[in-house]
Amino acid sequence: MPLPFSRPRAAARPAPAPVNVLVLTVAGAVTVANIYFPQPLLAAVAGGLDVSDRTAGLVASAAQLGYALGILLLVPLADTARLRRLTRLLLLATSAALLVAAAAPNVLTLVLATLALSTTTVLPQILTPVAAALAGAERRGRVVGVIGLGLTLGSTLSRTVSGAVSDVSGSWRAAYLLAAAATAALLWVLPRALPERLGVADRPRVPYGRMLAGLPRLLGEHRALRVSALRGACVFAAYSVFWAALVFHLAAPPLGYGPGAAGLFGLLTVPAALASAYAGPLTDRYGAGPVGRGALGCVVLGLAVAGLASDSPPALVAGAGLVVLGTSSCQVANQSRVLGLGRDVAARVNTVFMLATFGGGALGSLTAAWLYGARGWTAVLLAAAGFAVLGLSAGGRGSRVA
């Protein structure tokens, strides 16, 4: 019983749910690597399976297509499904498909196996909303930033690891076996780090078809999602324009570098990717709008550096680093904003956001392929800057979600 004239104590705020950030980050890095590690192996695949380089390139296309399909068809399930069971099924399916790919007798089998494994390796886009929901509003940006850093490192370093494994073993198949073992190992760790469900346990279950049909409606209901989706599409369009054309620019006179130079550029931008982790705490403190605008400004600055000294390798490395830093930071800010719309719709709003992001990346790649051949490097950089400026205009002046 309280003493007379004593001040009643304020109700204790519920502590954020525990979240094993290390496990989720490592799991995200391992699984996202399955999309990108085959890229350095394509020449070896072409020689080993006796097909042309263009035919072997279908493997990379199948990986991107499958990942987009998985985001659309599987990620929304995380709002209502039992997360531990869903995780086990996805890990088992991905590991099995990697083993099929490792033993593929022809390129058709390899392409189909790649399509299957990339469709089921969408755990990174499930783990991010789970981690954000468990962390709570005060730590959401920080946790999303760390998970995003793991995805960036996984996608970047996987190319280096797979190339090294292929060189040491003398076979591209060894990289697939290593990926299968790493993915299967998560079966003993990852499900234990997840809650049973993401949303409310006793909430009425939404039929799968109605859930997918309702994805466009989320854009109409949430202005924050519209702003984030547009910014995500714009920044990844700028990013894709830059990187898709950089390979051709490095190979052209006067630079004349070989294919390995683009891979080296990826490694040299790892410090910039590490620095992008600070976007999370900044988003928690200042909000997604200011951080997102600053990140887009960083992208424009990087493009300017790469354009003003287009034949200088140090300037190109610096410009690429700024583009990576700005893109990754913008992604963290945008994703933190949409994942704050509610735990019950976290996976679905993340689906809409990632589909918009992938759409922007695809548009950027197509733009680069056409524009570089027609107008050259300067026109490519101007187009990329145009996408970034369009992203800056999203939300309008003075908007609470800008």
Side-chain angles (χ1 to χ4, degrees):
M1 180 176 180
L3 296 174
F5 308 109
S6 63
R7 181 178 297 177
R9 293 183 179 180
R13 298 179 65 180
V19 49
N20 196 325
V21 178
L22 177 60
V23 170
L24 299 188
T25 301
V26 171
V30 169
T31 49
V32 81
N34 292 329
I35 305 299
Y36 298 99
F37 84 81
Q39 292 178 356
L41 308 176
L42 295 180
V45 167
L49 297 180
D50 195 23
V51 296
S52 67
D53 290 346
R54 181 176 298 180
T55 301
L58 293 174
V59 175
S61 300
Q64 296 294 334
L65 175 60
Y67 198 54
L69 286 174
I71 290 174
L72 174 62
L73 300 177
L74 298 180
V75 171
L77 291 173
D79 278 338
T80 57
R82 293 184 176 180
L83 287 176
R84 295 174 183 173
R85 178 186 297 177
L86 177 62
T87 298
R88 290 189 184 97
L89 290 174
L90 292 177
L91 289 173
L92 283 171
T94 303
S95 301
L98 284 165
L99 291 175
V100 172
N106 52 59
V107 72
L108 177 60
T109 303
L110 180 58
V111 168
L112 293 177
T114 301
L115 184 65
L117 73 89
S118 57
T119 300
T120 57
T121 194
V122 290
L123 274 174
Q125 302 312 325
I126 293 176
L127 298 180
T128 303
V130 169
L134 293 179
E138 294 181 354
R139 295 187 300 154
R140 182 183 301 121
R142 186 186 308 269
V143 170
V144 170
V146 174
I147 300 291
L149 174 61
L151 302 187
T152 300
L153 293 178
S155 60
T156 301
L157 299 180
S158 64
R159 300 179 177 96
T160 305
V161 172
S162 65
V165 169
S166 177
D167 287 343
V168 171
S169 65
S171 173
W172 58 269
R173 300 178 188 272
Y176 281 88
L177 291 174
L178 177 62
T183 302
L186 294 176
L187 283 164
W188 282 269
V189 182
L190 182 56
R192 300 177 185 179
L194 298 176
E196 185 63 27
R197 293 185 184 274
L198 178 57
V200 180
D202 58 353
R203 184 184 56 182
R205 189 165 184 176
V206 181
Y208 178 69
R210 187 185 303 171
M211 184 184 298
L212 293 184
L215 292 178
R217 188 173 64 249
L218 292 172
L219 280 170
E221 294 175 349
H222 301 288
R223 189 171 188 272
L225 178 57
R226 296 196 298 274
V227 172
S228 294
L230 178 56
R231 280 208 174 141
C234 288
V235 75
F236 265 80
Y239 177 88
S240 296
V241 167
F242 176 80
W243 282 99
L246 179 63
V247 178
F248 301 109
H249 180 63
L250 291 174
L255 295 173
Y257 291 124
L264 180 61
F265 265 64
L267 287 178
L268 292 175
T269 59
V270 166
L274 293 172
S276 69
Y278 288 102
L282 290 174
T283 300
D284 289 334
R285 184 172 182 178
Y286 299 107
V291 175
R293 291 193 298 273
L296 284 163
C298 184
V299 171
V300 174
L301 177 61
L303 296 170
V305 170
L308 292 174
S310 59
D311 296 333
S312 167
L316 290 174
V317 170
L322 288 169
V323 170
V324 168
L325 174 60
T327 302
S328 299
S329 299
C330 192
Q331 172 83 345
V332 170
N334 286 325
Q335 208 161 19
S336 297
R337 181 196 285 122
V338 301
L339 294 178
L341 292 176
R343 185 166 179 163
D344 291 345
V345 294
R348 278 171 283 174
V349 294
N350 192 52
T351 295
V352 174
F353 171 71
M354 290 306 302
L355 287 175
T357 299
F358 265 80
L363 177 60
S365 297
L366 291 173
T367 300
W370 171 79
L371 198 57
Y372 184 83
R375 300 293 180 181
W377 178 244
T378 301
V380 163
L381 295 180
L382 289 173
F387 281 121
V389 171
L390 177 60
L392 278 169
S393 69
R397 184 174 300 177
S399 169
R400 291 180 61 189
V401 296

